[in-house]
Amino acid sequence: VPDVTARRLQKGRTDTIGLLEVLCEQGLLQRTEAETLSTAYREYRTLVHRMVLEEVPPVVKDDSMQKPRKKVIKIWQRLMEG
């Protein structure tokens, strides 16, 4: 998807959520999927950041992100396994 890479660089959108926006703008990702992935990413980053501040290993237990993980897997399967 080189065209998407060029567009994101032109727009200065190289962060994770910015890339999801570009994929959505290009019609490669549905708006609801982009929102779901953005939310899951933010939740994960918040959790890991908290762990780092608490000086504990940033290893996320399976049950703590179970719902977002299931949603991400569903989107992955739709996109990658068609």
PDB file of all heavy atoms in Angstrom, residues 16-17 20 31-49 60 64-76:
ATOM      1  N   THR A  16       0.344   6.073  15.068  1.00  0.00           N
ATOM      2  CA  THR A  16      -0.557   4.923  14.898  1.00  0.00           C
ATOM      3  C   THR A  16      -1.988   5.353  14.594  1.00  0.00           C
ATOM      4  O   THR A  16      -2.605   4.872  13.638  1.00  0.00           O
ATOM      5  CB  THR A  16      -0.527   4.031  16.149  1.00  0.00           C
ATOM      6  OG1 THR A  16       0.817   3.574  16.333  1.00  0.00           O
ATOM      7  CG2 THR A  16      -1.461   2.847  16.018  1.00  0.00           C
ATOM      8  N   ILE A  17      -2.516   6.245  15.389  1.00  0.00           N
ATOM      9  CA  ILE A  17      -3.904   6.673  15.191  1.00  0.00           C
ATOM     10  C   ILE A  17      -4.033   7.471  13.898  1.00  0.00           C
ATOM     11  O   ILE A  17      -5.016   7.337  13.165  1.00  0.00           O
ATOM     12  CB  ILE A  17      -4.414   7.440  16.416  1.00  0.00           C
ATOM     13  CG1 ILE A  17      -4.482   6.448  17.600  1.00  0.00           C
ATOM     14  CG2 ILE A  17      -5.777   8.075  16.157  1.00  0.00           C
ATOM     15  CD1 ILE A  17      -4.814   7.044  18.926  1.00  0.00           C
ATOM     16  N   LEU A  20      -4.294   5.029  11.092  1.00  0.00           N
ATOM     17  CA  LEU A  20      -5.638   4.448  11.026  1.00  0.00           C
ATOM     18  C   LEU A  20      -6.588   5.414  10.324  1.00  0.00           C
ATOM     19  O   LEU A  20      -7.432   4.994   9.525  1.00  0.00           O
ATOM     20  CB  LEU A  20      -6.154   4.112  12.430  1.00  0.00           C
ATOM     21  CG  LEU A  20      -5.431   2.981  13.147  1.00  0.00           C
ATOM     22  CD1 LEU A  20      -5.902   2.876  14.588  1.00  0.00           C
ATOM     23  CD2 LEU A  20      -5.615   1.661  12.419  1.00  0.00           C
ATOM     24  N   ARG A  31     -14.919   3.197   9.202  1.00  0.00           N
ATOM     25  CA  ARG A  31     -14.833   4.180  10.284  1.00  0.00           C
ATOM     26  C   ARG A  31     -14.978   3.512  11.654  1.00  0.00           C
ATOM     27  O   ARG A  31     -14.213   3.803  12.564  1.00  0.00           O
ATOM     28  CB  ARG A  31     -15.904   5.261  10.095  1.00  0.00           C
ATOM     29  CG  ARG A  31     -16.038   6.252  11.230  1.00  0.00           C
ATOM     30  CD  ARG A  31     -14.839   7.101  11.508  1.00  0.00           C
ATOM     31  NE  ARG A  31     -14.373   7.817  10.335  1.00  0.00           N
ATOM     32  CZ  ARG A  31     -13.172   8.388  10.271  1.00  0.00           C
ATOM     33  NH1 ARG A  31     -12.345   8.349  11.286  1.00  0.00           N
ATOM     34  NH2 ARG A  31     -12.788   9.005   9.178  1.00  0.00           N
ATOM     35  N   THR A  32     -15.936   2.616  11.801  1.00  0.00           N
ATOM     36  CA  THR A  32     -16.144   1.955  13.097  1.00  0.00           C
ATOM     37  C   THR A  32     -14.928   1.105  13.478  1.00  0.00           C
ATOM     38  O   THR A  32     -14.571   1.030  14.652  1.00  0.00           O
ATOM     39  CB  THR A  32     -17.410   1.082  13.094  1.00  0.00           C
ATOM     40  OG1 THR A  32     -17.341   0.145  12.008  1.00  0.00           O
ATOM     41  CG2 THR A  32     -18.659   1.926  12.974  1.00  0.00           C
ATOM     42  N   GLU A  33     -14.296   0.495  12.480  1.00  0.00           N
ATOM     43  CA  GLU A  33     -13.099  -0.301  12.751  1.00  0.00           C
ATOM     44  C   GLU A  33     -11.947   0.600  13.193  1.00  0.00           C
ATOM     45  O   GLU A  33     -11.220   0.263  14.137  1.00  0.00           O
ATOM     46  CB  GLU A  33     -12.690  -1.098  11.515  1.00  0.00           C
ATOM     47  CG  GLU A  33     -13.663  -2.196  11.161  1.00  0.00           C
ATOM     48  CD  GLU A  33     -13.338  -2.878   9.856  1.00  0.00           C
ATOM     49  OE1 GLU A  33     -12.762  -2.241   8.942  1.00  0.00           O
ATOM     50  OE2 GLU A  33     -13.671  -4.071   9.734  1.00  0.00           O
ATOM     51  N   ALA A  34     -11.784   1.724  12.537  1.00  0.00           N
ATOM     52  CA  ALA A  34     -10.722   2.659  12.917  1.00  0.00           C
ATOM     53  C   ALA A  34     -10.934   3.143  14.344  1.00  0.00           C
ATOM     54  O   ALA A  34      -9.982   3.241  15.127  1.00  0.00           O
ATOM     55  CB  ALA A  34     -10.681   3.842  11.953  1.00  0.00           C
ATOM     56  N   GLU A  35     -12.170   3.425  14.710  1.00  0.00           N
ATOM     57  CA  GLU A  35     -12.480   3.873  16.067  1.00  0.00           C
ATOM     58  C   GLU A  35     -12.208   2.760  17.080  1.00  0.00           C
ATOM     59  O   GLU A  35     -11.650   3.002  18.153  1.00  0.00           O
ATOM     60  CB  GLU A  35     -13.925   4.347  16.144  1.00  0.00           C
ATOM     61  CG  GLU A  35     -14.161   5.637  15.389  1.00  0.00           C
ATOM     62  CD  GLU A  35     -15.629   5.996  15.236  1.00  0.00           C
ATOM     63  OE1 GLU A  35     -16.508   5.255  15.733  1.00  0.00           O
ATOM     64  OE2 GLU A  35     -15.902   7.028  14.590  1.00  0.00           O
ATOM     65  N   THR A  36     -12.594   1.542  16.740  1.00  0.00           N
ATOM     66  CA  THR A  36     -12.354   0.397  17.617  1.00  0.00           C
ATOM     67  C   THR A  36     -10.863   0.186  17.830  1.00  0.00           C
ATOM     68  O   THR A  36     -10.404   0.002  18.963  1.00  0.00           O
ATOM     69  CB  THR A  36     -12.987  -0.884  17.020  1.00  0.00           C
ATOM     70  OG1 THR A  36     -14.408  -0.710  16.960  1.00  0.00           O
ATOM     71  CG2 THR A  36     -12.650  -2.110  17.840  1.00  0.00           C
ATOM     72  N   LEU A  37     -10.091   0.232  16.743  1.00  0.00           N
ATOM     73  CA  LEU A  37      -8.645   0.029  16.847  1.00  0.00           C
ATOM     74  C   LEU A  37      -7.976   1.175  17.604  1.00  0.00           C
ATOM     75  O   LEU A  37      -7.066   0.937  18.410  1.00  0.00           O
ATOM     76  CB  LEU A  37      -8.039  -0.127  15.461  1.00  0.00           C
ATOM     77  CG  LEU A  37      -8.464  -1.382  14.697  1.00  0.00           C
ATOM     78  CD1 LEU A  37      -7.949  -1.340  13.264  1.00  0.00           C
ATOM     79  CD2 LEU A  37      -7.992  -2.637  15.402  1.00  0.00           C
ATOM     80  N   SER A  38      -8.431   2.396  17.387  1.00  0.00           N
ATOM     81  CA  SER A  38      -7.877   3.547  18.106  1.00  0.00           C
ATOM     82  C   SER A  38      -8.143   3.434  19.600  1.00  0.00           C
ATOM     83  O   SER A  38      -7.253   3.684  20.417  1.00  0.00           O
ATOM     84  CB  SER A  38      -8.485   4.854  17.581  1.00  0.00           C
ATOM     85  OG  SER A  38      -8.112   5.078  16.245  1.00  0.00           O
ATOM     86  N   THR A  39      -9.345   3.058  19.951  1.00  0.00           N
ATOM     87  CA  THR A  39      -9.701   2.896  21.364  1.00  0.00           C
ATOM     88  C   THR A  39      -8.877   1.797  22.012  1.00  0.00           C
ATOM     89  O   THR A  39      -8.337   1.975  23.112  1.00  0.00           O
ATOM     90  CB  THR A  39     -11.212   2.601  21.504  1.00  0.00           C
ATOM     91  OG1 THR A  39     -11.942   3.706  20.976  1.00  0.00           O
ATOM     92  CG2 THR A  39     -11.597   2.381  22.957  1.00  0.00           C
ATOM     93  N   ALA A  40      -8.757   0.667  21.337  1.00  0.00           N
ATOM     94  CA  ALA A  40      -7.968  -0.442  21.878  1.00  0.00           C
ATOM     95  C   ALA A  40      -6.511  -0.032  22.049  1.00  0.00           C
ATOM     96  O   ALA A  40      -5.875  -0.344  23.068  1.00  0.00           O
ATOM     97  CB  ALA A  40      -8.067  -1.662  20.961  1.00  0.00           C
ATOM     98  N   TYR A  41      -5.975   0.697  21.083  1.00  0.00           N
ATOM     99  CA  TYR A  41      -4.586   1.158  21.152  1.00  0.00           C
ATOM    100  C   TYR A  41      -4.394   2.100  22.338  1.00  0.00           C
ATOM    101  O   TYR A  41      -3.437   1.966  23.100  1.00  0.00           O
ATOM    102  CB  TYR A  41      -4.208   1.852  19.842  1.00  0.00           C
ATOM    103  CG  TYR A  41      -2.821   2.445  19.860  1.00  0.00           C
ATOM    104  CD1 TYR A  41      -1.706   1.629  19.759  1.00  0.00           C
ATOM    105  CD2 TYR A  41      -2.635   3.815  19.993  1.00  0.00           C
ATOM    106  CE1 TYR A  41      -0.424   2.176  19.779  1.00  0.00           C
ATOM    107  CE2 TYR A  41      -1.367   4.365  20.007  1.00  0.00           C
ATOM    108  CZ  TYR A  41      -0.262   3.536  19.908  1.00  0.00           C
ATOM    109  OH  TYR A  41       0.993   4.076  19.938  1.00  0.00           O
ATOM    110  N   ARG A  42      -5.310   3.041  22.503  1.00  0.00           N
ATOM    111  CA  ARG A  42      -5.208   3.983  23.627  1.00  0.00           C
ATOM    112  C   ARG A  42      -5.294   3.261  24.972  1.00  0.00           C
ATOM    113  O   ARG A  42      -4.547   3.571  25.903  1.00  0.00           O
ATOM    114  CB  ARG A  42      -6.308   5.036  23.530  1.00  0.00           C
ATOM    115  CG  ARG A  42      -6.062   6.078  22.484  1.00  0.00           C
ATOM    116  CD  ARG A  42      -7.116   7.187  22.578  1.00  0.00           C
ATOM    117  NE  ARG A  42      -7.052   8.039  21.420  1.00  0.00           N
ATOM    118  CZ  ARG A  42      -7.910   7.991  20.400  1.00  0.00           C
ATOM    119  NH1 ARG A  42      -8.908   7.132  20.403  1.00  0.00           N
ATOM    120  NH2 ARG A  42      -7.768   8.808  19.375  1.00  0.00           N
ATOM    121  N   GLU A  43      -6.210   2.304  25.081  1.00  0.00           N
ATOM    122  CA  GLU A  43      -6.351   1.541  26.327  1.00  0.00           C
ATOM    123  C   GLU A  43      -5.066   0.770  26.629  1.00  0.00           C
ATOM    124  O   GLU A  43      -4.601   0.752  27.771  1.00  0.00           O
ATOM    125  CB  GLU A  43      -7.533   0.574  26.240  1.00  0.00           C
ATOM    126  CG  GLU A  43      -8.876   1.259  26.261  1.00  0.00           C
ATOM    127  CD  GLU A  43     -10.026   0.284  26.062  1.00  0.00           C
ATOM    128  OE1 GLU A  43      -9.831  -0.951  26.172  1.00  0.00           O
ATOM    129  OE2 GLU A  43     -11.146   0.768  25.788  1.00  0.00           O
ATOM    130  N   TYR A  44      -4.503   0.147  25.621  1.00  0.00           N
ATOM    131  CA  TYR A  44      -3.274  -0.616  25.798  1.00  0.00           C
ATOM    132  C   TYR A  44      -2.123   0.299  26.210  1.00  0.00           C
ATOM    133  O   TYR A  44      -1.390   0.009  27.150  1.00  0.00           O
ATOM    134  CB  TYR A  44      -2.934  -1.359  24.496  1.00  0.00           C
ATOM    135  CG  TYR A  44      -1.581  -2.013  24.526  1.00  0.00           C
ATOM    136  CD1 TYR A  44      -1.375  -3.182  25.248  1.00  0.00           C
ATOM    137  CD2 TYR A  44      -0.498  -1.448  23.855  1.00  0.00           C
ATOM    138  CE1 TYR A  44      -0.124  -3.777  25.293  1.00  0.00           C
ATOM    139  CE2 TYR A  44       0.751  -2.033  23.896  1.00  0.00           C
ATOM    140  CZ  TYR A  44       0.931  -3.193  24.619  1.00  0.00           C
ATOM    141  OH  TYR A  44       2.177  -3.767  24.675  1.00  0.00           O
ATOM    142  N   ARG A  45      -1.969   1.420  25.506  1.00  0.00           N
ATOM    143  CA  ARG A  45      -0.884   2.357  25.821  1.00  0.00           C
ATOM    144  C   ARG A  45      -1.034   2.917  27.242  1.00  0.00           C
ATOM    145  O   ARG A  45      -0.050   3.076  27.950  1.00  0.00           O
ATOM    146  CB  ARG A  45      -0.848   3.507  24.810  1.00  0.00           C
ATOM    147  CG  ARG A  45      -0.440   3.086  23.422  1.00  0.00           C
ATOM    148  CD  ARG A  45       1.013   2.712  23.329  1.00  0.00           C
ATOM    149  NE  ARG A  45       1.808   3.888  23.676  1.00  0.00           N
ATOM    150  CZ  ARG A  45       3.063   3.847  24.065  1.00  0.00           C
ATOM    151  NH1 ARG A  45       3.691   2.708  24.157  1.00  0.00           N
ATOM    152  NH2 ARG A  45       3.712   4.936  24.362  1.00  0.00           N
ATOM    153  N   THR A  46      -2.250   3.217  27.653  1.00  0.00           N
ATOM    154  CA  THR A  46      -2.495   3.719  29.005  1.00  0.00           C
ATOM    155  C   THR A  46      -2.097   2.675  30.036  1.00  0.00           C
ATOM    156  O   THR A  46      -1.428   2.988  31.034  1.00  0.00           O
ATOM    157  CB  THR A  46      -3.982   4.096  29.178  1.00  0.00           C
ATOM    158  OG1 THR A  46      -4.286   5.145  28.255  1.00  0.00           O
ATOM    159  CG2 THR A  46      -4.285   4.548  30.596  1.00  0.00           C
ATOM    160  N   LEU A  47      -2.481   1.436  29.792  1.00  0.00           N
ATOM    161  CA  LEU A  47      -2.162   0.352  30.714  1.00  0.00           C
ATOM    162  C   LEU A  47      -0.650   0.142  30.817  1.00  0.00           C
ATOM    163  O   LEU A  47      -0.095   0.060  31.922  1.00  0.00           O
ATOM    164  CB  LEU A  47      -2.849  -0.940  30.247  1.00  0.00           C
ATOM    165  CG  LEU A  47      -2.678  -2.185  31.095  1.00  0.00           C
ATOM    166  CD1 LEU A  47      -3.206  -1.948  32.512  1.00  0.00           C
ATOM    167  CD2 LEU A  47      -3.422  -3.345  30.460  1.00  0.00           C
ATOM    168  N   VAL A  48       0.024   0.097  29.694  1.00  0.00           N
ATOM    169  CA  VAL A  48       1.476  -0.105  29.695  1.00  0.00           C
ATOM    170  C   VAL A  48       2.183   1.088  30.343  1.00  0.00           C
ATOM    171  O   VAL A  48       3.122   0.914  31.121  1.00  0.00           O
ATOM    172  CB  VAL A  48       2.004  -0.366  28.263  1.00  0.00           C
ATOM    173  CG1 VAL A  48       3.517  -0.321  28.213  1.00  0.00           C
ATOM    174  CG2 VAL A  48       1.494  -1.712  27.758  1.00  0.00           C
ATOM    175  N   HIS A  49       1.719   2.288  30.054  1.00  0.00           N
ATOM    176  CA  HIS A  49       2.327   3.485  30.650  1.00  0.00           C
ATOM    177  C   HIS A  49       2.211   3.435  32.179  1.00  0.00           C
ATOM    178  O   HIS A  49       3.173   3.725  32.898  1.00  0.00           O
ATOM    179  CB  HIS A  49       1.649   4.741  30.105  1.00  0.00           C
ATOM    180  CG  HIS A  49       2.221   6.007  30.623  1.00  0.00           C
ATOM    181  ND1 HIS A  49       3.482   6.452  30.289  1.00  0.00           N
ATOM    182  CD2 HIS A  49       1.713   6.933  31.471  1.00  0.00           C
ATOM    183  CE1 HIS A  49       3.717   7.590  30.907  1.00  0.00           C
ATOM    184  NE2 HIS A  49       2.662   7.901  31.630  1.00  0.00           N
ATOM    185  N   VAL A  60       1.043  -7.360  29.728  1.00  0.00           N
ATOM    186  CA  VAL A  60      -0.393  -7.246  29.916  1.00  0.00           C
ATOM    187  C   VAL A  60      -0.996  -8.644  30.031  1.00  0.00           C
ATOM    188  O   VAL A  60      -0.799  -9.484  29.156  1.00  0.00           O
ATOM    189  CB  VAL A  60      -1.030  -6.468  28.751  1.00  0.00           C
ATOM    190  CG1 VAL A  60      -2.530  -6.369  28.921  1.00  0.00           C
ATOM    191  CG2 VAL A  60      -0.397  -5.086  28.630  1.00  0.00           C
ATOM    192  N   SER A  64      -7.015  -8.705  31.095  1.00  0.00           N
ATOM    193  CA  SER A  64      -7.162  -7.256  31.250  1.00  0.00           C
ATOM    194  C   SER A  64      -7.550  -6.547  29.952  1.00  0.00           C
ATOM    195  O   SER A  64      -8.120  -5.470  29.984  1.00  0.00           O
ATOM    196  CB  SER A  64      -5.891  -6.644  31.819  1.00  0.00           C
ATOM    197  OG  SER A  64      -4.825  -6.814  30.920  1.00  0.00           O
ATOM    198  N   MET A  65      -7.254  -7.134  28.827  1.00  0.00           N
ATOM    199  CA  MET A  65      -7.577  -6.536  27.528  1.00  0.00           C
ATOM    200  C   MET A  65      -8.391  -7.498  26.667  1.00  0.00           C
ATOM    201  O   MET A  65      -8.359  -7.428  25.445  1.00  0.00           O
ATOM    202  CB  MET A  65      -6.286  -6.139  26.799  1.00  0.00           C
ATOM    203  CG  MET A  65      -5.487  -5.023  27.425  1.00  0.00           C
ATOM    204  SD  MET A  65      -6.238  -3.400  27.249  1.00  0.00           S
ATOM    205  CE  MET A  65      -6.183  -3.141  25.495  1.00  0.00           C
ATOM    206  N   GLN A  66      -9.148  -8.364  27.308  1.00  0.00           N
ATOM    207  CA  GLN A  66      -9.861  -9.422  26.594  1.00  0.00           C
ATOM    208  C   GLN A  66     -10.863  -8.881  25.569  1.00  0.00           C
ATOM    209  O   GLN A  66     -10.856  -9.301  24.415  1.00  0.00           O
ATOM    210  CB  GLN A  66     -10.574 -10.336  27.582  1.00  0.00           C
ATOM    211  CG  GLN A  66     -11.221 -11.541  26.933  1.00  0.00           C
ATOM    212  CD  GLN A  66     -11.830 -12.478  27.956  1.00  0.00           C
ATOM    213  OE1 GLN A  66     -11.960 -12.137  29.121  1.00  0.00           O
ATOM    214  NE2 GLN A  66     -12.196 -13.650  27.518  1.00  0.00           N
ATOM    215  N   LYS A  67     -11.710  -7.931  25.956  1.00  0.00           N
ATOM    216  CA  LYS A  67     -12.713  -7.410  25.017  1.00  0.00           C
ATOM    217  C   LYS A  67     -12.075  -6.682  23.842  1.00  0.00           C
ATOM    218  O   LYS A  67     -12.413  -6.968  22.690  1.00  0.00           O
ATOM    219  CB  LYS A  67     -13.708  -6.511  25.748  1.00  0.00           C
ATOM    220  CG  LYS A  67     -14.686  -7.274  26.609  1.00  0.00           C
ATOM    221  CD  LYS A  67     -15.689  -6.347  27.260  1.00  0.00           C
ATOM    222  CE  LYS A  67     -16.624  -7.122  28.152  1.00  0.00           C
ATOM    223  NZ  LYS A  67     -17.611  -6.241  28.804  1.00  0.00           N
ATOM    224  N   PRO A  68     -11.153  -5.740  24.105  1.00  0.00           N
ATOM    225  CA  PRO A  68     -10.526  -5.073  22.949  1.00  0.00           C
ATOM    226  C   PRO A  68      -9.766  -6.051  22.054  1.00  0.00           C
ATOM    227  O   PRO A  68      -9.788  -5.926  20.834  1.00  0.00           O
ATOM    228  CB  PRO A  68      -9.568  -4.062  23.590  1.00  0.00           C
ATOM    229  CG  PRO A  68     -10.079  -3.849  24.964  1.00  0.00           C
ATOM    230  CD  PRO A  68     -10.721  -5.136  25.364  1.00  0.00           C
ATOM    231  N   ARG A  69      -9.109  -7.036  22.663  1.00  0.00           N
ATOM    232  CA  ARG A  69      -8.344  -8.012  21.884  1.00  0.00           C
ATOM    233  C   ARG A  69      -9.254  -8.780  20.925  1.00  0.00           C
ATOM    234  O   ARG A  69      -8.910  -8.974  19.757  1.00  0.00           O
ATOM    235  CB  ARG A  69      -7.621  -8.976  22.822  1.00  0.00           C
ATOM    236  CG  ARG A  69      -6.786 -10.001  22.064  1.00  0.00           C
ATOM    237  CD  ARG A  69      -6.043 -10.944  22.993  1.00  0.00           C
ATOM    238  NE  ARG A  69      -4.930 -10.223  23.588  1.00  0.00           N
ATOM    239  CZ  ARG A  69      -4.723 -10.119  24.907  1.00  0.00           C
ATOM    240  NH1 ARG A  69      -5.534 -10.699  25.750  1.00  0.00           N
ATOM    241  NH2 ARG A  69      -3.691  -9.449  25.361  1.00  0.00           N
ATOM    242  N   LYS A  70     -10.417  -9.177  21.397  1.00  0.00           N
ATOM    243  CA  LYS A  70     -11.348  -9.917  20.540  1.00  0.00           C
ATOM    244  C   LYS A  70     -11.788  -9.066  19.354  1.00  0.00           C
ATOM    245  O   LYS A  70     -11.899  -9.555  18.229  1.00  0.00           O
ATOM    246  CB  LYS A  70     -12.563 -10.375  21.347  1.00  0.00           C
ATOM    247  CG  LYS A  70     -12.275 -11.546  22.253  1.00  0.00           C
ATOM    248  CD  LYS A  70     -13.518 -11.992  22.996  1.00  0.00           C
ATOM    249  CE  LYS A  70     -13.205 -13.169  23.898  1.00  0.00           C
ATOM    250  NZ  LYS A  70     -14.388 -13.628  24.628  1.00  0.00           N
ATOM    251  N   LYS A  71     -12.030  -7.774  19.608  1.00  0.00           N
ATOM    252  CA  LYS A  71     -12.446  -6.878  18.531  1.00  0.00           C
ATOM    253  C   LYS A  71     -11.326  -6.690  17.512  1.00  0.00           C
ATOM    254  O   LYS A  71     -11.566  -6.679  16.307  1.00  0.00           O
ATOM    255  CB  LYS A  71     -12.869  -5.529  19.111  1.00  0.00           C
ATOM    256  CG  LYS A  71     -14.145  -5.608  19.916  1.00  0.00           C
ATOM    257  CD  LYS A  71     -14.478  -4.260  20.533  1.00  0.00           C
ATOM    258  CE  LYS A  71     -15.715  -4.339  21.394  1.00  0.00           C
ATOM    259  NZ  LYS A  71     -16.038  -3.038  22.011  1.00  0.00           N
ATOM    260  N   VAL A  72     -10.104  -6.532  18.005  1.00  0.00           N
ATOM    261  CA  VAL A  72      -8.948  -6.357  17.114  1.00  0.00           C
ATOM    262  C   VAL A  72      -8.744  -7.609  16.269  1.00  0.00           C
ATOM    263  O   VAL A  72      -8.498  -7.521  15.060  1.00  0.00           O
ATOM    264  CB  VAL A  72      -7.681  -6.003  17.924  1.00  0.00           C
ATOM    265  CG1 VAL A  72      -6.436  -6.080  17.050  1.00  0.00           C
ATOM    266  CG2 VAL A  72      -7.816  -4.619  18.555  1.00  0.00           C
ATOM    267  N   ILE A  73      -8.855  -8.771  16.878  1.00  0.00           N
ATOM    268  CA  ILE A  73      -8.697 -10.034  16.142  1.00  0.00           C
ATOM    269  C   ILE A  73      -9.744 -10.154  15.041  1.00  0.00           C
ATOM    270  O   ILE A  73      -9.442 -10.561  13.915  1.00  0.00           O
ATOM    271  CB  ILE A  73      -8.746 -11.238  17.102  1.00  0.00           C
ATOM    272  CG1 ILE A  73      -7.480 -11.272  17.956  1.00  0.00           C
ATOM    273  CG2 ILE A  73      -8.937 -12.547  16.340  1.00  0.00           C
ATOM    274  CD1 ILE A  73      -7.527 -12.273  19.106  1.00  0.00           C
ATOM    275  N   LYS A  74     -10.965  -9.769  15.351  1.00  0.00           N
ATOM    276  CA  LYS A  74     -12.045  -9.841  14.350  1.00  0.00           C
ATOM    277  C   LYS A  74     -11.731  -8.941  13.149  1.00  0.00           C
ATOM    278  O   LYS A  74     -11.904  -9.340  11.990  1.00  0.00           O
ATOM    279  CB  LYS A  74     -13.373  -9.434  14.995  1.00  0.00           C
ATOM    280  CG  LYS A  74     -14.561  -9.606  14.100  1.00  0.00           C
ATOM    281  CD  LYS A  74     -15.839  -9.268  14.842  1.00  0.00           C
ATOM    282  CE  LYS A  74     -17.041  -9.424  13.927  1.00  0.00           C
ATOM    283  NZ  LYS A  74     -18.300  -9.123  14.607  1.00  0.00           N
ATOM    284  N   ILE A  75     -11.249  -7.738  13.420  1.00  0.00           N
ATOM    285  CA  ILE A  75     -10.892  -6.818  12.331  1.00  0.00           C
ATOM    286  C   ILE A  75      -9.714  -7.378  11.541  1.00  0.00           C
ATOM    287  O   ILE A  75      -9.711  -7.355  10.306  1.00  0.00           O
ATOM    288  CB  ILE A  75     -10.582  -5.417  12.893  1.00  0.00           C
ATOM    289  CG1 ILE A  75     -11.861  -4.804  13.483  1.00  0.00           C
ATOM    290  CG2 ILE A  75      -9.995  -4.515  11.805  1.00  0.00           C
ATOM    291  CD1 ILE A  75     -11.635  -3.559  14.317  1.00  0.00           C
ATOM    292  N   TRP A  76      -8.705  -7.882  12.243  1.00  0.00           N
ATOM    293  CA  TRP A  76      -7.539  -8.484  11.589  1.00  0.00           C
ATOM    294  C   TRP A  76      -7.979  -9.599  10.648  1.00  0.00           C
ATOM    295  O   TRP A  76      -7.530  -9.667   9.498  1.00  0.00           O
ATOM    296  CB  TRP A  76      -6.573  -9.030  12.642  1.00  0.00           C
ATOM    297  CG  TRP A  76      -5.452  -9.818  12.057  1.00  0.00           C
ATOM    298  CD1 TRP A  76      -5.412 -11.164  11.843  1.00  0.00           C
ATOM    299  CD2 TRP A  76      -4.192  -9.310  11.577  1.00  0.00           C
ATOM    300  NE1 TRP A  76      -4.221 -11.544  11.271  1.00  0.00           N
ATOM    301  CE2 TRP A  76      -3.462 -10.410  11.104  1.00  0.00           C
ATOM    302  CE3 TRP A  76      -3.632  -8.055  11.519  1.00  0.00           C
ATOM    303  CZ2 TRP A  76      -2.190 -10.278  10.571  1.00  0.00           C
ATOM    304  CZ3 TRP A  76      -2.367  -7.930  10.993  1.00  0.00           C
ATOM    305  CH2 TRP A  76      -1.659  -9.032  10.521  1.00  0.00           C
TER     306      TRP A  76
END
